Amino acid sequence: MLINSLKCRFLSDLENVVLKNKKIDKKIDLNMDKIFKSIRLEEPKNKEFGDLTTNAAMVLSSQVKKKPMELAEEINKQILSKWKFVESVALIAPGFINFNLKDKFVFESLNKIFSEDKCYGENKSGAGKRIQIEYVSSNPTGNLHIGHGRWGVMGDVLSNIYEKNGFDVQREYYVNDYGTQAKIFAECVKSLYLKRFGIKFSYPKDGYPEKTVAVVAEKIYESYGDKFILNKDEPATNDAEMEKISIDMMLSFIRETLLSIGVEFDNWFYESSLYKNDNFEKAMKFLRENNLVYEQEDALWFKATSYGDDKDRVIVRGDGNPTYFASDIMYLMNKKERGFDFLIYILGADHHGYISRLKAIGKSIGMNSDAVNIIIGQLVRLVEGKEVLKMSRRKGKGMTLDDLIRHVGKDAVRYFFSMNSFDTHMDFDLSLAKKKSNQNPVFYVQYAHARIGSIIRKLREIDLENASEKEISEIENSSAGFCENFLLNMKKYEFKNNSERNIAWVLSLFPDIIYDACKNNAPYLVTQYLYRLSGEFHYFYNHNIIISKNKVNMIRLVLAIATKKVLKNGLDILGISAPEKM
RNA sequence: GCGCUUGUAGCUCAGCUGGAUAGAGCUACGGACUUCUAAUCCGUAGGUCGGGGGUUCGAAUCCCUCCAAGCGCACCA
């Protein structure tokens, strides 16, 4: 990591300077944590200010009782001027410290792209930590709609990012196959299934859209024939078996849809498994023994308010049936038993009421307060022109995720859903959906990758005067020999202009991006970065000739290949293909 | 009524753990292919950062208030 490690170094150096000041004036009372938190070392918004900038002098001035500019001088003198890789420093009123890094330093950072190759960008900050990310978890009573696609993609990409940061990640889908909704769904299937045999059985009034159910019923008929018919004269089936098969069938459709955009899970956790054997009784016993529940009006209540929730919650109804909240409790207890260091739930904004109750459960069963992390993603709104379309699964309205994938393809779907932060209320314009396939910035990024592929192909076609095919292959494949000699050959590879240096600079930031994306649960940072890198490359490509006649400009070729590698690594994280040709 | 999220260019969005002249893309207009892919590049235009107050060296960013949008407030799942 470039910026993040420089920042660490800067802060530790800074501590010495500050402490020195403290020795001079003992009255100074410093809150170092607070200071360090608000000190930034980052790229300035405006590139003209240099490679990096820090607000340290301004942050410190009020604490140390010195003028910012004086502090800036001091910081420059005691820290930056001692850093050998700093090229120049500028102190700007009211106290900005801007500095540039030496070309050599920037160039050296490229070495990692080749030596680490497919691992470039990774770090070990999460080593030894097991986390679980749960996402989508859509009820298996209907097709996924567009919104689910967002969580599928975001969850998948976020999982990839955590893995790149060294975490051991489990991806989990929670299947609500227990309770009323599953039963209603099964009833619907049953009705249509029986109809297939000419047996009348009324379709539930508040049932699911027939269009969806019919597909499931038909598939069951195809696969099992009359297996579930108990008696042809009466509308009877083996209900329990039927329910299980119906849910599984629907789930297999969901799985297929997700698979078609590369979203896979390590574990499909069935809600019904929570009620197997005497799990439920054990859980209730645990709650009673720990004084977490009380009885009132025949129902069993969980003392959620004692742990930060707005109200207490019923977990066992008056009729003796458990509520959904009982499942939530048992599910979290189960997750705890599985021994994760922390959990992430990705939930749609329509579930934001869950935050306090899930945290309350976590607290009540003795989990660390930061072990249960809930990411709330704002909903996708489907619009057509100015009209807002309602996406209601219960009514079978709106565009399904399958439709969308068919329209724009896997890559565009993944790019589109990973380009915004969780907090963005996305408007998805249906009439733009098709256009998106041409306008989607995913092609901009992929095109950069393909262009470089084309350069390499070109090199193989011509007789090069100043490089052998073997040499080209060595660079492309990051051979051990090339990597060893990379830094020795530096003189050969001096930056000749800004665009060469800029692209090297952006390339060197990739590991920082992976780290920041993880720290902030912000997959879109990777997407944004790839767009930036592609833009930088397209500019570079248009302004620098890499191959002229029979000669290849080696530094430029190295930069191009390095770009290709980083684009590939980044696109892999997003789960988007990196084409050699377009 | 209470709560969560959001409001930035015509459109879709960055920037929000305070920093310098608020940035991209799309759209519009004007340029660049005898030279590695023009799915590209360059340029122009476009803004009272929802309104109003406050905090300070400094506010799109933090606080208060109002307005608007989405979502949620079950012995539903």
Side-chain angles (χ1 to χ4, degrees):
Chain A
M1 275 180 280
L2 194 142
I3 294 180
N4 281 303
S5 53
L6 283 182
K7 187 179 173 184
C8 281
R9 187 167 168 183
F10 181 71
L11 288 179
S12 81
D13 285 2
L14 195 62
E15 194 163 9
N16 297 329
V17 174
V18 174
L19 291 179
K20 217 175 191 175
N21 266 301
K22 203 181 168 184
K23 269 182 205 159
I24 298 166
D25 183 353
K26 293 206 169 129
K27 278 180 281 180
I28 296 173
D29 185 27
L30 293 170
N31 180 349
M32 292 305 281
D33 276 356
K34 201 181 164 194
I35 294 172
F36 278 14
K37 234 184 161 181
S38 44
I39 288 180
R40 314 186 72 160
L41 182 77
E42 62 194 358
E43 286 189 279
K45 276 185 202 162
N46 191 334
K47 189 74 191 156
E48 285 166 26
F49 290 129
D51 288 331
L52 294 167
T53 184
T54 177
N55 60 352
M58 290 180 287
V59 171
L60 282 174
S61 82
S62 59
Q63 302 273 332
V64 191
K65 309 265 159 59
K66 269 194 176 185
K67 285 186 181 162
M69 286 305 277
E70 280 173 30
L71 270 168
E73 298 258 8
E74 201 171 332
I75 290 168
N76 180 25
K77 203 171 146 196
Q78 298 199 37
I79 301 175
L80 296 179
S81 65
K82 289 178 184 163
W83 286 7
K84 284 181 187 147
F85 47 84
V86 170
E87 171 76 31
S88 59
V89 181
L91 311 178
I92 312 277
F96 293 102
I97 303 171
N98 303 329
F99 58 102
N100 282 297
L101 302 174
K102 287 195 169 137
D103 283 2
K104 186 172 170 248
F105 180 81
V106 175
F107 187 83
E108 277 172 3
S109 67
L110 290 179
N111 187 31
K112 278 192 177 165
I113 300 174
F114 293 95
S115 61
E116 295 176 10
D117 204 32
K118 289 191 170 57
C119 298
Y120 178 67
E122 295 178 8
N123 69 72
K124 300 266 183 286
S125 62
K129 285 190 186 130
R130 285 184 67 224
I131 71 163
Q132 191 213 48
I133 307 184
E134 186 210 320
Y135 49 101
V136 187
S137 296
S138 164
N139 285 0
T141 52
N143 293 313
L144 299 179
H145 59 62
I146 290 181
H148 293 119
R150 189 176 186 190
W151 314 138
V153 171
M154 289 287 253
D156 189 48
V157 176
L158 190 64
S159 302
N160 290 341
I161 289 169
Y162 269 91
E163 278 171 356
K164 293 290 175 192
N165 280 273
F167 290 89
D168 179 6
V169 182
Q170 189 194 46
R171 300 145 194 253
E172 180 150 302
Y173 187 116
Y174 180 60
V175 184
N176 298 107
D177 64 331
Y178 188 85
T180 326
Q181 291 309 315
K183 282 210 163 56
I184 293 175
F185 182 73
E187 287 275 294
C188 296
V189 175
K190 179 179 172 179
S191 166
L192 295 186
Y193 174 76
L194 288 170
K195 203 172 169 188
R196 207 71 178 68
F197 297 92
I199 302 170
K200 272 192 186 162
F201 181 75
S202 66
Y203 199 83
K205 260 190 187 158
D206 52 351
Y208 290 90
E210 282 201 37
K211 211 175 101 192
T212 318
V213 178
V215 179
V216 175
E218 193 57 28
K219 191 97 185 182
I220 291 179
Y221 174 75
E222 266 173 38
S223 313
Y224 299 94
D226 63 357
K227 191 184 167 195
F228 301 103
I229 306 285
L230 291 177
N231 182 347
K232 285 208 172 179
D233 301 324
E234 284 180 42
T237 60
N238 183 341
D239 284 353
E241 184 78 9
M242 187 90 190
E243 183 179 327
K244 191 177 178 307
I245 299 287
S246 302
I247 294 290
D248 276 344
M249 199 64 87
M250 194 64 240
L251 204 57
S252 73
F253 291 142
I254 288 174
R255 199 187 298 233
E256 253 173 63
T257 302
L258 290 170
L259 206 57
S260 73
I261 46 170
V263 175
E264 292 185 67
F265 291 87
D266 301 310
N267 197 29
W268 297 74
F269 190 97
Y270 286 77
E271 183 185 4
S272 57
S273 73
L274 293 169
Y275 293 89
K276 289 218 169 108
N277 305 324
D278 55 350
N279 275 353
F280 176 70
E281 287 73 18
K282 270 190 195 161
M284 292 308 115
K285 195 177 163 217
F286 173 87
L287 295 177
R288 282 178 210 278
E289 281 173 358
N290 288 278
N291 197 26
L292 299 173
V293 289
Y294 61 90
E295 279 178 56
Q296 190 182 312
E297 294 166 18
D298 293 339
L300 189 67
W301 294 72
F302 176 72
K303 294 180 181 170
T305 41
S306 310
Y307 300 93
D309 199 0
D310 313 332
K311 48 187 95 171
D312 288 346
R313 311 270 171 189
V314 171
I315 52 177
V316 182
R317 282 185 277 257
D319 62 9
N321 284 317
T323 63
Y324 191 77
F325 194 66
S327 296
D328 282 339
I329 294 176
M330 288 192 287
Y331 185 33
L332 192 52
M333 285 165 82
N334 179 288
K335 284 188 180 185
K336 188 191 171 201
E337 272 166 33
R338 283 188 268 165
F340 297 105
D341 289 290
F342 65 96
L343 309 169
I344 295 177
Y345 291 77
I346 297 176
L347 301 175
D350 50 342
H351 287 78
H352 77 252
Y354 275 46
I355 300 175
S356 50
R357 79 180 69 164
L358 282 174
K359 293 217 167 207
I361 299 171
K363 233 189 252 177
S364 76
I365 61 174
M367 296 178 76
N368 285 337
S369 58
D370 53 355
V372 181
N373 295 279
I374 297 142
I375 297 174
I376 294 298
Q378 294 305 315
L379 302 178
V380 180
R381 222 163 49 133
L382 201 56
V383 295
E384 185 147 33
K386 283 187 177 171
E387 193 192 349
V388 179
L389 306 175
K390 275 279 167 208
M391 282 191 292
S392 168
R393 273 211 304 170
R394 291 302 306 256
K395 290 181 187 146
K397 277 189 186 170
M399 199 188 208
T400 66
L401 183 53
D402 274 321
D403 294 335
L404 178 67
I405 297 167
R406 229 173 295 123
H407 271 300
V408 303
K410 172 189 168 183
D411 287 341
V413 167
R414 291 197 64 117
Y415 193 95
F416 182 78
F417 282 133
S418 59
M419 67 194 285
N420 295 120
S421 88
F422 281 104
D423 285 338
T424 305
H425 297 245
M426 285 181 78
D427 269 353
F428 192 97
D429 193 333
L430 214 48
S431 53
L432 272 177
K434 282 175 202 167
K435 265 202 215 162
K436 282 277 178 205
S437 64
N438 300 318
Q439 291 176 355
N440 198 303
V442 68
F443 298 105
Y444 185 82
V445 177
Q446 290 181 318
Y447 185 51
H449 188 269
R451 266 186 153 173
I452 303 167
S454 161
I455 293 168
I456 296 168
R457 277 196 302 280
K458 177 82 180 179
L459 286 172
R460 297 239 153 82
E461 283 167 16
I462 55 176
D463 289 325
L464 281 176
E465 280 175 19
N466 63 336
S468 64
E469 194 171 314
K470 186 177 165 241
E471 217 172 322
I472 308 287
S473 293
E474 279 182 353
I475 301 173
E476 207 188 346
N477 301 320
S478 305
S479 79
F482 171 74
C483 292
E484 271 171 37
N485 292 320
F486 186 79
L487 294 176
L488 297 175
N489 285 334
M490 260 186 63
K491 277 200 180 144
K492 230 158 91 183
Y493 302 142
E494 268 170 5
F495 299 129
K496 294 288 193 307
N497 61 40
N498 269 341
S499 68
E500 290 180 359
R501 188 184 189 277
N502 283 348
I503 202 154
W505 170 253
V506 175
L507 286 168
S508 68
L509 299 180
F510 185 57
D512 286 292
I513 301 296
I514 303 300
Y515 181 77
D516 291 341
C518 182
K519 272 229 132 154
N520 300 309
N521 288 329
Y524 72 93
L525 289 178
V526 177
T527 318
Q528 245 173 38
Y529 169 82
L530 291 181
Y531 193 85
R532 177 183 173 189
L533 176 58
S534 302
E536 204 67 62
F537 179 78
H538 284 309
Y539 178 92
F540 170 81
Y541 181 91
N542 273 281
H543 293 83
N544 297 282
I545 288 169
I546 297 168
I547 307 166
S548 67
K549 294 192 178 161
N550 293 329
K551 280 191 174 172
V552 58
N553 182 315
M554 287 309 280
I555 170 80
R556 291 178 185 169
L557 178 65
V558 165
L559 287 170
I561 292 179
T563 303
K564 188 164 181 269
K565 286 176 184 297
V566 175
L567 285 176
K568 174 80 171 78
N569 287 0
L571 285 169
D572 277 350
I573 291 175
L574 299 184
I576 294 171
S577 64
E580 289 295 325
K581 244 186 213 178
M582 278 174 80

